[in-house]
């Protein structure tokens, strides 16, 4: 992902390496850098929090050795529509960056339109990075439509966890495509809209005669039959 055209904080977030030991607190326990300060555009560990208390802070978590953030936090920062989410540890999360894969998935199933990783319908992106890459390549001049101005973001309470998430997760059910940010089809790049419509049209096939029970197909209009009189 070319981060040069992104806002400074977003470019730094996508480039940053998290969960490395903090060199300032290398002797302390739980010194992994799993917090991102949007104001300073840098990663910090829990022991570095004091000078950042009044800053916008984003907690980074790790799932299957890759960086994720809670979907609720991500939606405060950018439009997350069509980005595949997962439910793990009772939280919905999305991957920050594209994950390496042995070979691209180009089968007949649904795939990420940026990196071709297999996805669940009707999602189109496997990570926030892949969506940003697609926007920059197709609608880069309108990037500001997809990036939100978040004036306040704090760490979850009470306290911090270590950011490690268990491998017990499930794909987020493909229900509503509208996110809490209020994004909708009209806010998406044209290619995304076309693919979504093609996905939905496949679910709206008209019911033909083959859908009807045989008893209804054999029925013909004729003289109505009345109940016998007693």
């Amino acid at each position: 992902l070319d981060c040069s055209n992104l806002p400074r904080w977003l470019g730094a977030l996508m480039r940053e390496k998290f969960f490395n030991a903090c060199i300032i607190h290398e002797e302390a326990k739980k010194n992994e850098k799993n917090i991102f300060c949007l104001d300073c555009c840098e990663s910090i560990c829990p022991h570095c929090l004091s000078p950042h208390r009044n800053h916008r802070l984003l907690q980074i978590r790790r799932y299957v050795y890759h960086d994720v953030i809670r979907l609720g936090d991500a939606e405060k920062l950018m439009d997350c529509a069509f980005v595949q989410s997962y439910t793990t540890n009772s939280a919905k999360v999305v991957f920050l960056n594209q994950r390496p894969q042995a070979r691209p998935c180009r089968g007949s199933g649904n795939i990420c339109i940026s990196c071709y990783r297999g996805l669940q319908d009707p999602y189109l992106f496997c990570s926030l990075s892949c969506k940003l890459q697609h926007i920059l390549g197709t609608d880069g001049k309108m990037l500001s439509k997809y990036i939100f101005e978040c004036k306040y973001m704090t760490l979850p309470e009470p306290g911090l966890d270590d950011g490690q998430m268990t491998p017990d997760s499930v794909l987020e059910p493909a229900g509503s495509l509208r996110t809490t940010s209020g994004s909708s089809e009209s806010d998406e790049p044209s290619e995304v809209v076309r693919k979504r419509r093609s996905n939905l049209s496949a679910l709206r096939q008209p019911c033909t005669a083959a859908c009807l029970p045989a008893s209804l197909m054999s029925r013909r209009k004729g003289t109505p039959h009345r109940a016998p009189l007693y």
Side-chain angles (χ1 to χ4, degrees):
L1 174 65
D2 181 8
C3 299
S4 60
N5 294 322
L6 298 179
R8 181 169 173 262
W9 66 266
L10 184 54
L13 175 63
M14 292 300 169
R15 288 191 302 263
E16 191 63 75
K17 301 297 182 183
F18 296 99
F19 290 91
N20 293 326
C22 176
I23 59 175
I24 300 175
H25 303 97
E26 57 183 353
E27 301 298 329
K29 294 182 178 179
K30 295 187 177 181
N31 66 346
E32 292 182 320
K33 297 164 72 173
N34 64 347
I35 304 166
F36 183 75
C37 178
L38 278 75
D39 294 299
C40 300
C41 298
E42 64 178 358
S43 59
I44 60 176
C45 82
H47 305 288
C48 299
L49 277 175
S50 182
H52 300 271
R53 283 294 182 184
N54 296 322
H55 295 178
R56 295 169 297 165
L57 300 174
L58 173 67
Q59 185 171 4
I60 311 299
R61 292 172 166 81
R62 176 147 288 195
Y63 172 67
V64 292
Y65 304 105
H66 294 282
D67 299 331
V68 298
I69 60 177
R70 288 182 182 269
L71 179 60
D73 290 338
E75 289 177 330
K76 296 176 183 178
L77 301 173
M78 65 173 287
D79 186 343
C80 298
F82 301 102
V83 179
Q84 180 165 288
S85 59
Y86 297 82
T87 299
T88 180
N89 289 27
S90 301
K92 296 178 183 179
V93 299
V94 289
F95 283 96
L96 270 178
N97 293 295
Q98 174 185 335
R99 291 164 288 159
Q101 53 185 329
R103 63 181 63 180
C105 176
R106 297 177 180 271
S108 58
N110 195 41
I111 59 174
C112 174
I113 60 178
S114 292
C115 73
Y116 309 111
R117 175 177 288 275
L119 297 175
Q120 182 190 34
D121 283 329
Y123 298 108
L124 304 180
F125 306 100
C126 70
S127 65
L128 298 179
S129 174
C130 280
K131 178 163 185 175
L132 286 171
Q133 180 176 320
H134 178 77
I135 293 172
L136 290 173
T138 60
D139 201 16
K141 294 182 179 180
M142 302 299 293
L143 178 64
S144 59
K145 290 198 310 180
Y146 307 98
I147 307 301
F148 305 140
E149 183 179 358
C150 178
K151 296 183 178 180
Y152 177 80
M153 178 169 285
T154 187
L155 298 174
E157 297 294 341
L160 282 170
D161 56 44
D162 60 6
Q164 301 292 340
M165 310 196 81
T166 66
D168 300 324
S169 72
V170 295
L171 287 172
E172 179 61 18
S176 172
L177 291 176
R178 180 179 292 272
T179 66
T180 56
S181 63
S183 60
S184 63
E185 176 181 298
S186 61
D187 300 323
E188 292 300 313
S190 58
E191 182 180 346
V192 176
V193 173
R194 287 195 298 270
K195 182 159 185 178
R196 181 194 173 191
R197 286 174 175 169
S198 65
N199 287 340
L200 294 180
S201 63
L203 301 177
R204 297 174 177 172
Q205 295 296 330
C207 184
T208 63
C211 303
L212 300 176
S215 59
L216 292 181
M217 292 177 62
S218 61
R219 183 176 296 176
R220 296 290 184 268
K221 184 176 180 180
T223 304
H225 295 280
R226 301 181 182 276
L229 299 176
Y230 293 98

